[in-house]
Amino acid sequence: MNQDRILITGASGQLGTVLTKKLQEKYGVINVIASDLRLDSNFKGIFETLDATDFDAIQEIVSKYKITQIYHLAAILSANGEKYPLNTWDINMKTFFNVLEISRLNAINRVFFPSSIAVFGDNIDRIDTAQYSNLTPSTVYGMSKVTGENWSKYYFEKYGLDIRSIRYPGVIGYQSLPGGGTTDYAVDIFIKAIKNENYECFLNSSTTLPMIYMDDVIRATIELMEAPKEAITVRTSYNLAGMSFDPAQLTKAIQKIYPDFKVSYNPDFRQKIADSWPMSIDDSYARKDWNWKPKFDIDAMTRDMVKNLKIKFSDKSMSC
Ligand code: AKB
């Protein structure tokens, strides 16, 4: 079999930074082409500056490197998306249509499209939200993800494009910062704790949301992409669960390590977004189809975050 060559859009983002490294380890540095609007200063490997709204620019990279797989991570997230709704729709959809069409025209083997718990909104069971629930999101970001899921299924059924997707919970990791999401508090809170500062949370203390640790989400993404084609029964996007907690529970977990750490609450517009999302997720399709199982619960994640952020902050050459 020929060696796969992978293009990642949005490679400098929270997930892209970590996924790129993992894919470099698996496929070799020369077979992974990272792209984004800006280059992360710590990046090592092949990088192309790319505005994914530019069809020709993506096509040029795909031809230049003979790309066979695309991970399309570039998108504007839920909270930032609400500031400029039409712009968010344009960017999220245009970049995705470009990737779909280029994948079809270039016979790309496999595409990854990240969806989100933001696809859920009104009229759902918010506990253990089922795979096939109502999809009436409250944000433009969520609308773009629901539409993207349906286009993925359409390209699979009409053109045979092997596109796979996960509905990501809020992602927590020490390696990179999230940008403009509603679940970002769960990373910000750790950075304050490590610095021995108090944290003011933009969600109220009892806002339970589905979350996942970076190690688990990267593993899930690669496991899904490496699963045999016949195993994939969901061609919109898979529900995926890691853990669920609210800010008060996360604070307690951090206080086991930093007993003096204090959090105050000052909910802003993101509260309404969080209130429209599930509290926990039923991911039985992912478990059955490609054997998904998370490894990190809230305490294991908290210990690992604190351990790694301490190392990161003690190294003067790095910042968070
Ligand atoms: C966000 O908060 O927008 C993202 C997400 C859950 O998709 N982290």
Side-chain angles (χ1 to χ4, degrees):
M1 203 179 95
N2 286 340
Q3 173 65 57
D4 271 310
R5 302 200 95 192
I6 299 174
L7 170 64
I8 305 166
T9 71
S12 304
Q14 184 198 16
L15 216 104
T17 312
V18 188
L19 185 64
T20 301
K21 270 202 191 130
K22 196 73 202 175
L23 290 172
Q24 286 174 333
E25 278 163 34
K26 277 189 86 72
Y27 290 85
V29 174
I30 57 158
N31 295 311
V32 177
I33 290 58
S35 73
D36 208 315
L37 290 170
R38 59 173 179 86
L39 173 63
D40 186 299
S41 53
N42 296 313
F43 181 79
K44 290 190 186 69
I46 306 174
F47 183 86
E48 291 277 348
T49 303
L50 174 69
D51 174 355
T53 62
D54 183 342
F55 183 96
D56 294 338
I58 306 178
Q59 179 58 61
E60 209 178 303
I61 295 173
V62 166
S63 303
K64 178 173 165 189
Y65 294 100
K66 300 190 171 42
I67 296 297
T68 63
Q69 289 192 21
I70 302 181
Y71 286 70
H72 175 53
L73 304 184
I76 300 182
L77 297 188
S78 59
N80 269 357
E82 291 309 287
K83 295 177 191 156
Y84 307 101
L86 295 182
N87 196 34
T88 301
W89 177 262
D90 272 356
I91 290 174
N92 286 3
M93 294 318 301
K94 185 148 187 38
T95 56
F96 189 46
F97 283 134
N98 284 346
V99 168
L100 285 174
E101 266 304 270
I102 283 170
S103 299
R104 179 179 77 81
L105 294 169
N106 292 271
I108 295 293
N109 293 341
R110 220 161 264 191
V111 179
F112 181 76
F113 167 66
S115 186
S116 160
I117 53 165
V119 294
F120 299 110
D122 302 331
N123 303 319
I124 51 161
D125 283 334
R126 296 191 61 226
I127 297 175
D128 288 340
T129 304
Q131 175 69 44
Y132 293 106
S133 301
N134 257 341
L135 300 179
T136 46
S138 63
T139 59
V140 178
Y141 169 67
M143 283 159 57
S144 73
K145 291 299 182 188
V146 174
T147 309
E149 289 188 6
N150 285 315
W151 276 101
S152 301
K153 183 167 172 282
Y154 182 86
Y155 265 69
F156 172 71
E157 285 170 358
K158 193 167 171 89
Y159 304 117
L161 181 66
D162 189 357
I163 176 159
R164 304 176 180 199
S165 176
I166 287 173
R167 291 174 179 152
Y168 284 147
V171 175
I172 303 163
Y174 58 86
Q175 300 93 330
S176 48
L177 287 178
T182 304
T183 56
D184 294 9
Y185 91 86
V187 177
D188 301 344
I189 194 170
F190 279 102
I191 293 169
K192 290 289 186 186
I194 299 291
K195 291 178 169 172
N196 290 314
E197 291 173 17
N198 295 335
Y199 180 62
E200 184 179 275
C201 186
F202 57 75
L203 299 180
N204 71 38
S205 61
S206 59
T207 310
T208 302
L209 286 170
M211 299 281 185
I212 192 164
Y213 196 43
M214 185 67 86
D215 286 39
D216 273 342
V217 84
I218 297 290
R219 186 167 54 79
T221 304
I222 293 175
E223 282 177 6
L224 171 64
M225 286 297 271
E226 291 185 343
K229 201 170 171 183
E230 330 64 81
I232 310 299
T233 65
V234 177
R235 283 293 175 176
T236 49
S237 187
Y238 279 95
N239 273 10
L240 189 87
M243 59 191 107
S244 276
F245 56 77
D246 65 27
Q249 288 167 316
L250 183 55
T251 304
K252 277 209 182 97
I254 295 173
Q255 283 168 340
K256 288 182 191 164
I257 305 169
Y258 293 99
D260 296 334
F261 180 55
K262 288 198 176 43
V263 175
S264 57
Y265 296 93
N266 188 10
D268 65 15
F269 73 99
R270 288 168 280 194
Q271 184 66 49
K272 203 164 161 227
I273 300 176
D275 288 341
S276 75
W277 288 354
M279 296 162 80
S280 59
I281 294 288
D282 170 3
D283 62 357
S284 43
Y285 280 83
R287 287 175 187 257
K288 184 168 70 61
D289 288 0
W290 41 279
N291 300 319
W292 164 244
K293 203 168 184 295
K295 288 190 179 151
F296 283 83
D297 63 12
I298 185 169
D299 285 322
M301 179 269 292
T302 300
R303 284 192 301 271
D304 207 59
M305 278 294 280
V306 168
K307 185 182 89 188
N308 283 292
L309 281 173
K310 270 174 147 170
I311 297 169
K312 195 165 179 171
F313 275 87
S314 66
D315 178 351
K316 295 276 181 291
S317 65
M318 294 183 89
S319 59
C320 221

